[in-house]
């Protein structure tokens, strides 16, 4: 049994981590929950008991075996090394450590062996990267990928619990004929699509799009792989959807790709367009798997395939 801590236990991802630990009956000797100072003393239900929230600070990590960081990158940068110094292994869900050369960036089904190289911190990739690579990695093993173009349709919960609240309030307000406001997103998200996820960088790509490129290269151990992403926020509460166009080294028959994906751990193929069967955000929510469909030849790439992949960004894309 392990003594486990969760930093950011009151947030959307932290709450999902708690849910998964309870569902899977994770062998806990002790569970210690941390959040910001304003949550000090609040309680959370877990396993039929109330657990008190404490402020995250260095000394509180003493004696813990594993600490899940489900808070912002700044918190992780400051406190993850302190948890390691006190003897814990950190699993960090923020962007703070992903591109650090000394920190493995791991999707267990894709490059789980990379965990062995950790020096106390293991990083979890961006949710949109996970949704894509769960589908692409099995294909890459069967037929090396030369190029990726991806367009994402990312849910409001990618911005945390406050994103869902803002989307809900905007939707209700518009339907009631009221004026609506935005603070979490750069524009009103309800009944809209925003080609703006995170901040714009110098090359006019957003930091979210750059993450998908850099993280994909690191996870697949392909430092020169061309990846171009356009990330779009859509008015969906939970689950990211992605249209991915892939060029391979060799011809790849769609039927062969379906077979490869159907045998991949953590992937469910839903691809029967005659009967209108393909992955949907509403059906992926709450699930551990990534769902893949619309598998077909890509008409712009030689040796290309186009696919549609969907996954719960809070659960599979972060907490799990």
């Amino acid at each position: 049994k392990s003594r486990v801590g969760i930093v950011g236990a009151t947030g959307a991802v932290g709450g999902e981590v708690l849910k998964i630990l309870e569902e899977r009956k994770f062998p806990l000797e002790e569970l210690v929950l941390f959040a910001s100072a304003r949550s000090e003393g609040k309680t959370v239900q877990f396993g039929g008991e109330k657990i008190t929230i404490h402020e995250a600070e260095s000394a509180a990590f003493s004696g813990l075996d594993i600490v899940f960081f489900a808070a912002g990158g700044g918190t992780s940068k400051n406190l993850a090394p302190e948890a390691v110094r006190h003897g814990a292994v950190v699993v960090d869900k923020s962007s703070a450590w992903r591109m650090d050369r000394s920190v493995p960036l791991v999707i267990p089904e894709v490059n789980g062996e990379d965990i062995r190289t950790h020096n106390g911190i293991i990083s979890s990739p961006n949710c949109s990267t996970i949704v894509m690579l769960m589908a692409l990695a099995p294909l890459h093993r069967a037929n090396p990928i030369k190029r990726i173009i991806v367009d994402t349709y990312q849910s409001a919960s990618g911005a945390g619990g406050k994103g869902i609240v803002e989307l809900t309030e905007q939707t209700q307000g518009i339907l009631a004929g009221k004026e609506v406001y935005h603070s979490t997103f750069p524009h009103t998200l309800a009944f809209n699509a925003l080609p703006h996820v995170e901040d714009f960088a110098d090359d006019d790509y957003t930091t979210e799009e750059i993450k998908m490129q850099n993280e994909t290269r690191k996870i697949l151990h392909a430092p020169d792989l061309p990846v171009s992403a356009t990330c779009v926020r859509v008015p969906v509460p939970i689950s990211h959807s992605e249209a991915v166009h892939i060029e391979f080294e060799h011809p790849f028959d769609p039927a062969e790709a379906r077979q490869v994906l159907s045998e991949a751990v953590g992937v469910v193929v839903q691809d029967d367009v005659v009967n209108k069967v393909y992955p949907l955000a509403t059906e992926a929510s709450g699930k551990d798997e990534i769902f893949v469909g619309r598998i077909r030849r890509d008409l712009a790439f030689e040796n290309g395939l186009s696919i549609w992949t969907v996954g719960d960004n809070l659960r599979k894309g972060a907490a799990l």
Side-chain angles (χ1 to χ4, degrees):
K1 291 185 175 182
S2 300
R3 300 186 68 219
V4 173
I6 301 174
V7 177
T10 58
V13 174
E16 198 69 22
V17 174
L18 275 168
K19 188 187 302 182
I20 292 170
L21 289 174
E22 187 166 8
E23 287 175 1
R24 295 189 165 202
K25 296 180 172 58
F26 193 90
L28 293 166
E29 181 176 327
E30 183 181 5
L31 179 62
V32 185
L33 304 182
F34 303 102
S36 63
R38 64 179 179 272
S39 295
E40 174 74 43
K42 293 181 179 178
T43 60
V44 171
Q45 285 286 135
F46 182 87
E49 300 179 9
K50 286 185 177 181
I51 301 180
T52 302
I53 303 285
H54 300 288
E55 182 180 358
E57 53 187 3
S58 174
F61 299 125
S62 181
L64 296 179
D65 302 307
I66 303 168
V67 181
F68 295 103
F69 272 75
T75 299
S76 181
K77 272 288 187 184
N78 291 332
L79 291 178
E82 293 300 304
V84 173
R85 189 169 64 83
H86 281 92
V89 173
V90 167
V91 178
D92 182 52
K93 300 169 186 305
S94 78
S95 61
W97 302 97
R98 289 174 186 157
M99 299 314 299
D100 188 307
R101 291 179 179 274
S102 67
V103 175
L105 180 65
V106 177
I107 303 172
E109 300 90 339
V110 175
N111 63 326
E113 66 280 358
D114 287 357
I115 282 180
R116 303 178 195 278
T117 67
H118 82 79
N119 295 307
I121 300 175
I122 300 163
S123 188
S124 179
N126 187 35
C127 47
S128 50
T129 305
I130 291 173
V131 171
M132 180 173 74
L133 289 190
M134 283 290 294
L136 262 55
L139 300 175
H140 181 59
R141 286 191 286 267
N143 188 345
I145 293 173
K146 290 179 62 177
R147 186 184 325 271
I148 300 167
I149 296 176
V150 56
D151 302 299
T152 71
Y153 304 78
Q154 297 182 217
S155 69
S157 59
K162 64 184 184 297
I164 298 178
V165 171
E166 186 164 301
L167 173 61
T168 302
E169 291 177 346
Q170 288 175 353
T171 304
Q172 292 171 340
I174 290 171
L175 290 174
K178 298 178 180 178
E179 186 177 359
V180 298
Y181 303 92
H182 60 83
S183 59
T184 302
F185 304 112
H187 300 278
T188 298
L189 181 59
F191 303 99
N192 209 355
L194 309 179
H196 181 180
V197 180
E198 295 201 359
D199 303 314
F200 285 101
D202 293 339
D203 59 0
D204 292 338
Y205 280 83
T206 65
T207 50
E208 181 83 355
E209 293 158 356
I210 294 167
K211 285 177 192 175
M212 292 194 75
Q213 171 189 267
N214 293 340
E215 293 175 17
T216 294
R217 290 172 171 175
K218 183 173 180 177
I219 293 164
L220 294 183
H221 302 156
D224 299 318
L225 180 64
V227 180
S228 181
T230 300
C231 294
V232 182
R233 189 78 69 190
V234 293
V236 170
I238 297 174
S239 290
H240 290 355
S241 305
E242 302 179 6
V244 194
H245 310 274
I246 320 113
E247 183 179 13
F248 295 91
E249 292 279 358
H250 312 290
F252 211 151
D253 185 79
E256 180 188 356
R258 288 186 195 96
Q259 184 61 36
V260 168
L261 289 167
S262 69
E263 296 171 358
V265 175
V267 176
V268 175
V269 174
Q270 296 178 327
D271 195 13
D272 181 5
V273 293
V274 172
N275 292 302
K276 302 181 179 63
V277 175
Y278 32 72
L280 298 172
T282 50
E283 295 181 5
S285 297
K287 306 286 189 0
D288 290 346
E289 299 83 11
I290 296 297
F291 300 85
V292 187
R294 297 294 317 278
I295 302 165
R296 62 205 188 277
R297 294 190 186 279
D298 188 282
L299 302 180
F301 281 152
E302 185 178 359
N303 302 333
L305 288 178
S306 293
I307 67 171
W308 176 253
T309 180
V310 181
D312 185 323
N313 56 292
L314 290 181
R315 190 174 176 93
K316 179 59 182 176
L320 187 58

